[in-house]
Amino acid sequence: MKYFASISPPSSYCSLAISVLLLLFALFFSNLQAKQISHAHMEEILYHIQTYYVEEVQLNHIKRDNFYELFEQLDPYSKYLNEHELETLFSATNGRYTGLGIEVEEIENRIVIVDTLPGSPAEQAGIEGGDKLVAINTRDVTDKTISEVSKLLREAKLSIIHLTVERAEVLVTLALRRQEITLESVSSKLLNGHIGYLAISAFNNHSYHDVARHINMLFAHSGISLKGLVIDLRDNPGGTLNSAVAISDLFLQSGVIVSTKGRFFDANQKFYAVQGDILNGAPILVLINKQSASAAEILAGALQDNKRALILGQESFGKGSVQSLIPIGNGTSALKLTTARYYTPSGQSIEGTGIQPDVEYSNNTLSMLNKAAIMTNEEANSDLYTRLSLHWKAAKKLVVKQQPVIN
């Protein structure tokens, strides 16, 4: 499970909250003891839940010192963030974090490295996707969870961290040094036939400008206007609401982008597109899969409902809730609270259901369209162009018939 998180810049949601659409399915949650939460902070947390949580919950039966029971009444995205978790959240939202640069998943009770970030200590040291984590500084972690492993990495006092991994049944030990890493959320490639390929891996505070910059680069490389654009949102766990809205607006002339609904007044908002299409009407294909979530679903839903893009792939994850970050006490900790749910332009909530693709692809088909291969392999580029060529006609028809969705 990927463990980066994101938060949006301040908005009008409320004077206490910073609007945020969480990019990950699970942020590290350290083993916090209830006694670490003061009585005053607990009362503050209870007040915010009763006032701002997306739906009314009965908390009268909750004991004031029972921290865990309190959050069991809420959805899995509402959490208390300590100082370290809060700093991690802000850093990732700003497109950076200090660490090793590995993405991991729990597979068959093992921590498996699925990828390394470009230019990160992990990539430079030779960590590879598929490596199974065995030890951290000689301490065995084969029976540890992701949260436990991340805690060990944070608490490692040595400037050099030695990771032992299992690779092809051989143990390999590599030395890594933590450093600040810039998170590149956008990459692009010019395909055959003047077709642009744009992969968005997350939505942070820089993603909007990065998308615009990459599209201008594709125009420059093509030498003429793009004939079409593929937007790859596979495995994109989401990010900031503001970023998703701004990127959607790049491709829309008019219409609703997304709306949010909650219990308190400022949680009810509707976001509209401003006239101007960066592609000048060129057709769009969007790739999604079961791991496309949150802000990725906002973009896919906005383009689908406004008849601007054809959606290909699999039903997306279905995270249709908005989290606000509410400072607690002196602001060194915070409550991340679900305060609203978002709806696509047609008024559909995707919470638990996801975005339904216009054209469904099997796992096998999606696996053949490997993102990394598309960026580096000309043969993979040709395969992608050939596989998608059948869908450009339908995508062009959408552009011709494009009408704003009126609610």
Side-chain angles (χ1 to χ4, degrees), residues 12-114:
S12 61
Y13 248 46
C14 69
S15 60
L16 295 172
I18 300 175
S19 176
V20 57
L21 200 63
L22 218 33
L23 91 71
L24 48 62
F25 308 149
L27 181 67
F28 307 137
F29 196 93
S30 57
N31 292 324
L32 188 67
Q33 300 299 320
K35 64 182 180 181
Q36 292 179 284
I37 303 297
S38 69
H39 177 75
H41 285 184
M42 193 66 171
E43 290 297 325
E44 195 175 348
I45 289 170
L46 285 168
Y47 169 78
H48 292 313
I49 291 173
Q50 291 170 331
T51 305
Y52 300 116
Y53 188 61
V54 65
E55 56 193 33
E56 191 170 351
V57 290
Q58 297 300 321
L59 301 176
N60 296 334
H61 64 290
I62 302 294
K63 294 180 180 179
R64 290 300 193 261
D65 61 349
N66 195 330
F67 185 82
Y68 295 111
E69 186 181 356
L70 170 63
F71 281 91
E72 285 174 357
Q73 312 303 309
L74 310 179
D75 71 345
Y77 307 109
S78 296
K79 290 181 172 65
Y80 172 84
L81 304 181
N82 63 27
E83 185 174 358
H84 172 78
E85 293 165 331
L86 188 58
E87 176 60 29
T88 299
L89 193 62
F90 276 119
S91 294
T93 304
N94 288 317
R96 66 178 190 277
Y97 90 107
T98 299
L100 304 178
I102 57 175
E103 296 181 15
V104 300
E105 290 182 354
E106 286 189 41
I107 302 175
E108 296 179 351
N109 298 319
R110 294 291 300 275
I111 304 299
V112 180
I113 296 168
V114 295

